[in-house]
Amino acid sequence: MQPLALSLPVLTPDTALFLDFDGCLVDIAPRPDAVVIPLGLPERLARLHDVLDGAVALISGRDVADLRRHLPGFPGAIAGSHGAELSLAGHVIETTHQADLDPAALHRAAADAVADHPAILVERKPHGVALHYRADPSLRPVVEEVMARLADAHPDMVLQPAKMAMELRPAGTGKDGALDRLLATAPFAGRVPVYAGDDLTDEVAMARAQALGGHGIKIGAGETVARHRLPDPAALARWLDDALEELR
């Protein structure tokens, strides 16, 4: 992996900053509910929100309520569930898709299908479901088969591969669409987008930011469309702290 820290973009007062959560702001944990919020992260986000006049947003596969539980004081916008929901001013959560979805039934179907494989974690989401096989990577074929069947049974949903996981989410959603929605609203409109993320789900958003004249920053290893890279969330935190010093 190339050390590209010296080629990172410069944040300016005209930047709109978009940040993934898992693997970007926090280290990947064995389970989604086991993430640890790094010391200083809430304060860092609050300072960025202040110096960029509110143009800081989280865009994540997690749902908005879950992100607010982990970062209760975050003052900015959040696009959750891969853009299937959006929370702007006042923390009101707006659904952005038209899928005919019974989440409880979908969760039951997924759990029943993998009941013989306790190492597979079923992550129940308000707009879909994810199966994680991090505890036993050999179970990837089982997860792929189960999720393919669920996708066939839900034609208005699409499969989303991720790191050691596969998710079923509403068709027509995605982190690139979330980026576009946010850039069409104040205070993001008219700014240069900078998107940082680590997963396959972030690639479309990084590509979109770059197509709009902005920047994508890949966190971690792996092939990417991003023109910039940092090795881990700690390195991103240091870069953001340096940017804050420059913006003061």
Side-chain angles (χ1 to χ4, degrees), residues 165-191:
M166 184 162 285
E167 182 167 346
L168 199 62
R169 59 175 175 80
T173 62
K175 292 185 176 182
D176 53 342
L179 183 78
D180 283 338
R181 286 190 183 92
L182 287 166
L183 285 171
T185 67
F188 304 94
R191 290 171 174 259

Side-chain angles (χ1 to χ4, degrees), residues 99-190:
D100 183 12
L101 177 62
D102 182 344
L106 179 61
H107 300 160
R108 285 194 301 271
D112 290 346
V114 298
D116 293 335
H117 302 282
I120 296 176
L121 173 66
V122 181
E123 185 181 4
R124 296 162 174 83
K125 299 190 173 191
H127 302 277
V129 67
L131 297 181
H132 297 258
Y133 52 90
R134 184 175 300 275
D136 186 350
S138 71
L139 291 173
R140 175 178 176 177
V142 175
V143 167
E144 290 177 341
E145 180 182 352
V146 167
M147 293 300 272
R149 292 202 307 268
L150 289 174
D152 287 342
H154 296 81
D156 50 359
M157 306 283 283
V158 294
L159 289 175
Q160 175 64 66
K163 287 183 177 178
M164 297 290 186
M166 184 162 285
E167 182 167 346
L168 199 62
R169 59 175 175 80
T173 62
K175 292 185 176 182
D176 53 342
L179 183 78
D180 283 338
R181 286 190 183 92
L182 287 166
L183 285 171
T185 67
F188 304 94

Side-chain angles (χ1 to χ4, degrees), residues 18-24 57-63 67 79-86 96 125 160-163 167 169-170 172-183 193 195-209 212:
F18 303 96
L19 301 166
D20 182 30
F21 184 70
D22 294 278
C24 182
L58 306 182
I59 300 182
S60 174
R62 289 179 184 254
D63 63 89
L67 289 166
S81 300
H82 303 287
E85 54 182 15
L86 186 62
T96 64
K125 299 190 173 191
Q160 175 64 66
K163 287 183 177 178
E167 182 167 346
R169 59 175 175 80
T173 62
K175 292 185 176 182
D176 53 342
L179 183 78
D180 283 338
R181 286 190 183 92
L182 287 166
L183 285 171
Y195 186 102
D198 76 303
D199 209 343
L200 296 172
T201 61
D202 299 301
E203 293 294 321
V204 290
M206 290 188 283
R208 183 63 179 149
L212 294 171

